């Protein structure tokens, strides 16, 4: 095992006589160890660069708790040269009383300066000469300077940088260096190290033995590195680290040594350079730049100052930003995994994205919701897209990424684009200011989904009521904790088949998991539970549950305890989307059952046919996916229409089916749910058809297919829809 210590030390060119290697569960644990055991005093200062991982920022807590000062800084003069390095301080942070800190610093005062060898947000590399600058006190710091008389200890967070360029500790004698092995080899997670200079390690020990406070002694007990500082075996015997992991570490070092770090460095840097140059050169058809790169202002510096990490955001031709989550999701549909966000580096994030303190805070408060992420706030991106190259990356990876960005985000000369059809510019139809009337459409089929997220049934004719199709989405399943069950969380729901028999007055449900069908009377007093009020998607419903027989049946069918509830009355219109922009509900006036957005979803057969053509031609272009043919049911529509041109429905403002008038509420935004296929009792997932739709039906981060409708008229008795009815569509 000690061979492993030596391997680690030699990786950093650290002499075993001068440095110790303490194994931890990761870089974060190593940083915590330093924070907990550093000899802080009220005269100490913890100074750290703005660009730092949260794990480094965590040290601040320990320093402040011991009465020390903490200060974030920017470093000027990274590019070497003769002039002294300038350190630009932010506000000094302190906790508690000032009085007791009037004492001068003494030679026993220890200060800590922490910086990353490579910023994990932007890839910016810090000059390791900073180590010597700090230790020799040869820096300039304007403003309310901190006393220089104590000793500066320097910590390098090499977790990111070591993968391609480990600090050379024979040249830059940092006191502490932290590393995580999975960042070097790609595996295994859960092992890292603190490399500490002997003198510095002794300081930590002293704190440990003096037992400065109970918490320090207690929390360090589980590392106990003093007793085992050389006996790595004992540490492993704790069972903390699996032997498999250790074996793989040896294997990891063997790979790096065989490739050599200098070759890894050149390889990854050339990939990053290729990507940076290509991204900087991307232009929209109007000539505007597509990509903003972070951490680099001067293209001359492209190769020297930046590691193999490329951090960027993309803009539309009009200068607005593509959200980073949108980029990430589209990439994953193309089987490219990107990391986006702030990467646990709030300082760098704020600095490069130009976010203020309050904006950072409000971003945190806004939270993140699936497919509705706030990746843009007040017109500014709240994170970035990051590409990191390692020894395993290939030129093919880089090229695939570029191809994806070009095809998904760079605007080409105008063709027939989705924005012409949806909302943005109305279809140029009415030359004389008269509404165009088209009569080539027919109602093909009608589908009712009585229970939210369960299968629906298709009928030739069906009555309408004030909520839409009679009994559509009138029931739902909720968990015992009150959470609404949906297919997203419980795909099994898609296998529950439903049928409403109006003559018998029954809802009939079937499941492969239940021997018997379940029949629920529509009118009788089978509902026995108390009526209660439920809030769903910020709307209020009066609902009623059933007895245990019904609930047991559904619990068996979905494989988890749940209860069935029926909507009786839609209480009021809480759907105040103007104030709560999060709510998905689009239809602000109509009465609704348990639908997400609107009373009806309409899909066109012609649009489906066009989509299937595209899916087919993608297959011919040699993608290795299996061919997928979708039918309308994939989109869970209520109404399928036929006739006309594909996507003509996008341009409709109103339509009339038989005697009933409908208003279009606009396109339906699609998510991964349409990638699930329910066949023969199993759910199959793929990237299609969403990936293909994303390539031509995307507008402002949303992917549209089908349109949402509501009825215009209040429903008189006996209004029915019939398959085969003619549809008259009006385009504004
Ligand atoms: C990943 C990373 C860390 C945290 O490492 P863990 O292994 O997750 O503890 C710290 N700093 C930087 C710069 C990193 O990239």
């Amino acid at each position: 095992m000690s061979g492993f210590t030596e391997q680690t030390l030699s990786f950093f060119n650290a002499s075993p006589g001068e440095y110790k290697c303490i194994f931890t569960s990761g870089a974060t644990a190593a940083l915590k160890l330093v924070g907990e055991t550093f000899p802080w005093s009220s005269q100490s200062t913890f100074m750290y660069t703005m660009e730092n991982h949260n794990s480094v920022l965590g040290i601040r807590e320990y320093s402040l708790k011991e009465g020390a000062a903490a200060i974030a800084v920017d470093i000027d003069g990274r590019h070497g040269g003769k002039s002294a390095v300038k350190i630009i301080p932010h506000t000094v942070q302190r906790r508690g009383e000032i009085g007791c800190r009037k004492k001068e610093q003494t030679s026993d005062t220890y200060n800590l300066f922490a910086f990353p060898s490579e910023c994990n947000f932007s890839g910016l590399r810090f000059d390791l000469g900073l180590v010597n600058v700090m230790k020799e006190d040869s820096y300039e710091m304007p403003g309310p300077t901190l006393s220089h008389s104590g000793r500066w200890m320097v910590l390098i967070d090499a977790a990111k940088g070591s993968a391609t360029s480990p600090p050379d500790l024979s040249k830059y004698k940092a006191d502490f260096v932290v590393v995580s092995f999975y960042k070097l080899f790609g595996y295994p997670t859960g092992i890292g190290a603190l490399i500490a200079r002997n003198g510095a390690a002794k300081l930590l020990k002293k704190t440990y033995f003096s037992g400065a406070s109970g918490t320090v002694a207690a929390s360090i007990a589980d590392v106990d590195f003093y007793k085992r500082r050389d006996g790595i075996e004992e540490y492993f015997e704790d069972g903390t680290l699996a032997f498999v992991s250790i074996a793989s570490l040896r294997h990891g070092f063997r790979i790096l040594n065989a490739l050599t770090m200098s070759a890894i460095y050149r390889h990854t840097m050339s990939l990053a350079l290729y990507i940076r140059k290509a991204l900087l050169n991307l232009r929209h058809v109007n000539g505007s730049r597509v990509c903003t790169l972070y951490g680099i202002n001067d293209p001359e510096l492209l190769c020297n100052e930046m590691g193999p990490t490329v951090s960027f955001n993309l803009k539309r031709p009009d200068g607005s930003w593509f959200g980073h989550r949108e980029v990430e999701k589209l990439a994953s549909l193309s089987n490219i995994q990107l990391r986006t966000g702030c990467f646990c580096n709030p300082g760098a994030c704020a600095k490069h994205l130009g976010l203020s303190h309050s904006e950072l805070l409000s971003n945190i408060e806004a939270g993140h919701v699936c497919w509705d992420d706030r990746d843009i706030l007040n017109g500014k991106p709240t994170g970035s897209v990051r590409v990191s190259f390692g020894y395993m990356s290939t030129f093919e990876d880089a090229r695939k990424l570029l191809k994806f960005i070009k095809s998904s985000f760079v605007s080409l000369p105008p063709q027939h684009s989705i924005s012409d059809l949806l909302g943005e510019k109305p279809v140029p139809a009415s030359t004389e200011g008269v509404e165009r009337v088209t009569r080539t459409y027919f109602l093909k089929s009608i589908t009712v989904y009585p229970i939210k997220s369960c299968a629906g049934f298709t009928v030739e004719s069906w009555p309408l009521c004030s909520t839409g199709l009679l009994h559509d989405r009138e029931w739902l399943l909720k968990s015992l904790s009150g959470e609404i069950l949906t297919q997203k969380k419980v795909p099994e729901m898609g296998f529950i088949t439903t049928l409403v028999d109006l003559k018998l007055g029954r809802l009939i449900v079937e499941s492969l998991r239940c021997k018997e069908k379940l029949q629920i009377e529509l009118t009788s007093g089978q509902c026995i539970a108390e009526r209660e009020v439920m809030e769903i998607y910020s709307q209020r419903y009066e609902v009623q549950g059933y007895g245990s027989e019904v609930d047991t049946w559904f619990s068996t069918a979905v494989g988890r305890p749940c209860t069935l509830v029926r909507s009786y009355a839609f209480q009021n219109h809480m759907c105040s989307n103007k104030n709560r922009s999060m709510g998905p509900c689009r239809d602000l006036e109509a009465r609704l059952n348990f639908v997400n957005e609107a009373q009806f979803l309409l899909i066109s057969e012609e649009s489906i046919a066009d989509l299937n053509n595209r899916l087919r031609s993608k297959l011919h272009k040699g993608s290795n996916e299996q061919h997928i043919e979708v039918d309308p049911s994939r989109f869970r529509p209520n109404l399928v229409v036929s006739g006309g041109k594909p996507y003509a429905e996008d341009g409709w403002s109103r339509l009339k089916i038989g005697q009933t008038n409908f208003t279009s509420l606009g396109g339906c935004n699609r998510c991964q749910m349409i990638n699930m296929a329910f066949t023969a009792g199993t759910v199959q997932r793929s990237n299609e058809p969403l990936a293909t739709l994303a390539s031509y039906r995307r507008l402002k981060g949303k992917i549209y297919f089908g349109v949402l409708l509501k009825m215009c008229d209040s429903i008189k008795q006996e209004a029915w829809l019939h398959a085969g009815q003619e549809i008259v569509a009006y385009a504004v």
Side-chain angles (χ1 to χ4, degrees):
M1 295 297 170
S2 62
F4 189 51
T5 307
E6 277 143 28
Q7 267 189 312
T8 306
L9 289 177
S10 97
F11 186 70
F12 293 100
N13 207 7
S15 136
E18 204 175 356
Y19 280 93
K20 292 222 177 322
C21 174
I22 299 152
F23 293 98
T24 65
S25 64
T28 302
L31 290 162
K32 187 161 178 263
L33 188 58
V34 173
E36 280 175 336
T37 60
F38 193 82
W40 302 113
S41 73
S42 54
Q43 279 76 45
S44 303
T45 299
F46 172 50
M47 184 160 94
Y48 54 95
T49 51
M50 275 295 280
E51 294 90 342
N52 256 315
H53 193 274
N54 267 335
S55 302
V56 174
L57 304 185
I59 295 177
R60 188 173 52 183
E61 273 307 301
Y62 298 104
S63 66
L64 291 174
K65 218 159 53 187
E66 299 301 322
I71 184 163
V73 297
D74 289 303
I75 307 288
D76 198 6
R78 283 182 278 118
H79 319 313
K82 291 281 168 288
S83 62
V85 170
K86 208 183 253 166
I87 296 181
I88 301 137
H90 291 236
T91 325
V92 179
Q93 309 154 62
R94 263 198 203 284
R95 233 170 249 171
E97 303 212 353
I98 308 289
C100 60
R101 292 193 200 91
K102 284 279 155 67
K103 281 179 281 173
E104 270 301 293
Q105 287 198 329
T106 67
S107 58
D108 282 344
T109 299
Y110 291 98
N111 306 307
L112 182 64
F113 173 59
F115 70 99
S117 60
E118 181 182 316
C119 171
N120 72 317
F121 179 92
S122 66
L124 186 84
R125 282 220 170 102
F126 282 76
D127 185 347
L128 296 178
L130 272 174
V131 174
N132 302 332
V133 164
M134 289 311 296
K135 299 206 75 86
E136 291 157 13
D137 261 350
S138 56
Y139 56 90
E140 281 172 19
M141 190 158 161
T145 37
L146 300 152
S147 169
H148 281 206
S149 59
R151 301 246 311 262
W152 277 105
M153 313 293 274
V154 181
L155 181 156
I156 302 176
D157 176 0
K160 181 77 188 161
S162 293
T164 53
S165 181
D168 180 344
L169 296 183
S170 73
K171 274 200 217 146
Y172 308 104
K173 296 187 188 295
D175 298 283
F176 307 105
V177 176
V178 301
V179 64
S180 250
F181 290 105
Y182 76 93
K183 298 255 175 106
L184 302 189
F185 314 136
Y187 60 86
T189 51
I191 308 184
L194 169 64
I195 292 108
R197 262 176 84 142
N198 285 340
K202 271 201 204 92
L203 283 174
L204 299 188
K205 272 188 298 192
K206 208 167 92 190
T207 311
Y208 172 58
F209 277 110
S210 68
S213 81
T215 56
V216 171
S219 55
I220 200 163
D222 56 19
V223 179
D224 199 3
F225 63 88
Y226 172 65
K227 260 203 314 212
R228 297 170 189 172
R229 69 190 190 280
D230 301 316
I232 301 304
E233 296 88 343
E234 277 179 70
Y235 180 65
F236 287 149
E237 278 161 15
D238 279 353
T240 322
L241 301 172
F243 281 90
V244 184
S245 304
I246 300 155
S248 62
L249 284 183
R250 194 159 284 153
H251 184 59
F253 270 128
R254 200 175 300 139
I255 291 174
L256 297 195
N257 291 335
L259 293 171
T260 76
M261 287 315 285
S262 65
I264 291 173
Y265 176 83
R266 287 193 308 272
H267 170 66
T268 53
M269 290 299 274
S270 63
L271 291 179
L273 187 60
Y274 164 69
I275 286 285
R276 282 197 186 99
K277 282 192 167 156
L279 288 178
L280 276 179
N281 287 333
L282 286 182
R283 304 276 169 171
H284 289 297
V285 64
N286 68 1
S288 66
R289 209 168 246 188
V290 177
C291 183
T292 299
L293 285 178
Y294 297 116
I296 183 117
N297 305 316
D298 183 355
E300 288 301 301
L301 297 174
L302 275 175
C303 31
N304 303 323
E305 301 280 327
M306 304 296 291
T309 294
V310 184
S311 188
F312 59 93
N313 271 312
L314 302 169
K315 277 183 172 177
R316 299 191 179 89
D318 65 3
S320 65
W321 297 98
F322 285 106
H324 54 89
R325 294 284 292 150
E326 178 184 351
V327 178
E328 180 184 336
K329 283 170 193 155
L330 289 171
S332 93
L333 286 173
S334 298
N335 296 318
I336 297 172
Q337 305 314 319
L338 292 175
R339 279 207 58 196
T340 71
C342 274
F343 320 112
C344 304
N345 198 325
C349 197
K351 190 165 163 169
H352 293 296
L353 303 179
L355 296 172
S356 69
H357 256 256
S358 65
E359 280 173 318
L360 272 177
L361 284 177
S362 70
N363 287 356
I364 292 163
E365 280 161 14
H368 285 287
V369 190
C370 171
W371 205 251
D372 191 31
D373 299 338
R374 306 224 160 163
D375 46 13
I376 304 286
L377 223 63
N378 305 328
K380 284 189 211 174
T382 60
S384 85
V385 181
R386 188 182 72 176
V387 183
S388 255
F389 294 106
Y391 73 87
M392 289 171 280
S393 309
T394 63
F395 179 64
E396 216 27 66
D397 295 337
R399 217 164 49 177
K400 187 173 160 197
L401 173 78
L402 270 184
K403 193 174 153 223
F404 158 72
I405 290 176
K406 280 186 196 159
S407 67
S408 306
F409 303 101
V410 180
S411 74
L412 301 169
Q415 296 168 340
H416 205 53
S417 84
I418 177 177
S419 52
D420 296 336
L421 295 169
L422 277 169
E424 300 275 288
K425 282 173 263 164
V427 177
S430 55
T431 37
E432 305 109 49
V434 187
E435 286 184 335
R436 182 175 63 173
V437 183
T438 329
R439 292 171 195 277
T440 49
Y441 305 98
F442 291 89
L443 183 58
K444 186 74 194 269
S445 68
I446 304 161
T447 308
V448 183
Y449 306 84
I451 307 175
K452 185 180 178 65
S453 280
C454 294
F457 61 97
T458 298
V459 287
E460 285 290 308
S461 298
W462 201 253
L464 293 165
C465 67
S466 58
T467 53
L469 293 168
L470 186 63
H471 302 306
D472 189 48
R473 260 59 71 111
E474 199 167 301
W475 289 265
L476 63 73
L477 294 175
K478 61 173 189 166
S479 72
L480 298 186
S481 62
E483 181 196 17
I484 295 157
L485 300 189
T486 64
Q487 249 178 43
K488 201 172 239 163
K489 284 173 264 169
V490 192
E492 293 81 0
M493 295 177 81
F495 296 116
I496 299 179
T497 59
T498 58
L499 176 71
V500 172
D501 188 322
L502 292 175
K503 285 210 187 83
L504 290 176
R506 283 183 192 152
L507 164 65
I508 303 159
V509 288
E510 274 188 87
S511 157
L512 290 174
R513 294 196 186 176
C514 301
K515 275 206 213 89
E516 304 281 330
K517 287 181 193 177
L518 180 70
Q519 309 215 7
I520 296 170
E521 302 289 331
L522 294 177
T523 48
S524 83
Q526 205 174 353
C527 268
I528 56 157
E530 292 264 303
R531 287 208 178 183
E532 57 177 321
V533 171
M534 231 179 130
E535 192 169 312
I536 300 163
Y537 303 127
S538 57
Q539 315 217 29
R540 273 202 206 166
Y541 297 88
E542 201 178 322
V543 301
Q544 197 163 20
Y546 289 84
S548 63
E549 187 208 350
V550 169
D551 290 346
T552 305
W553 191 94
F554 279 101
S555 300
T556 309
V558 300
R560 62 169 77 190
C562 63
T563 63
L564 180 74
V565 302
R566 181 177 184 179
S567 164
Y568 274 90
F570 179 69
Q571 272 208 332
N572 54 13
H573 303 292
M574 295 259 304
C575 193
S576 51
N577 270 23
K578 282 182 204 87
N579 309 329
R580 310 189 38 163
S581 52
M582 312 261 299
C585 175
R586 190 95 59 89
D587 187 342
L588 299 182
E589 289 136 44
R591 268 200 55 186
L592 294 175
N593 272 338
F594 299 132
V595 291
N596 290 353
E597 293 200 275
Q599 289 175 335
F600 302 87
L601 172 65
L602 178 146
I603 297 279
S604 137
E605 265 193 343
E606 271 58 42
S607 305
I608 295 272
D610 176 77
L611 172 59
N612 278 323
N613 279 338
R614 289 169 194 264
L615 286 167
R616 221 168 289 133
S617 77
K618 200 164 172 181
L619 189 77
H620 288 314
K621 280 185 202 148
S623 99
N624 44 14
E625 295 238 350
Q626 272 203 340
H627 174 54
I628 293 173
E629 172 111 14
V630 293
D631 64 50
S633 68
R634 202 48 104 83
F635 301 92
R636 292 177 68 82
N638 297 109
L639 309 175
V640 178
V641 302
S642 74
K645 291 211 169 77
Y647 312 108
E649 68 277 14
D650 293 343
W652 297 347
S653 63
R654 277 193 307 120
L655 62 153
K656 192 167 182 180
I657 308 177
Q659 291 311 305
T660 314
N661 288 299
F662 298 84
T663 306
S664 170
L665 301 169
C668 179
N669 180 23
R670 295 304 181 164
C671 71
Q672 300 94 325
M673 295 304 296
I674 62 170
N675 290 341
M676 295 205 306
F678 295 84
T679 43
T682 59
V683 186
Q684 267 140 25
R685 290 167 208 263
S686 74
N687 288 339
E688 297 292 3
L690 194 61
T692 294
L693 284 177
S695 69
Y696 75 108
R697 299 281 306 166
R698 193 160 50 89
L699 188 66
K700 300 264 174 199
K702 301 204 158 126
I703 301 165
Y704 291 101
F705 194 79
V707 292
L708 300 166
L709 303 179
K710 72 165 186 179
M711 288 181 295
C712 306
D713 324 310
S714 60
I715 290 301
K716 294 166 230 103
Q717 295 271 301
E718 295 304 301
W720 285 64
L721 290 182
H722 305 282
Q725 266 171 327
E726 193 187 47
I727 297 176
V728 182
Y730 301 84
V732 178

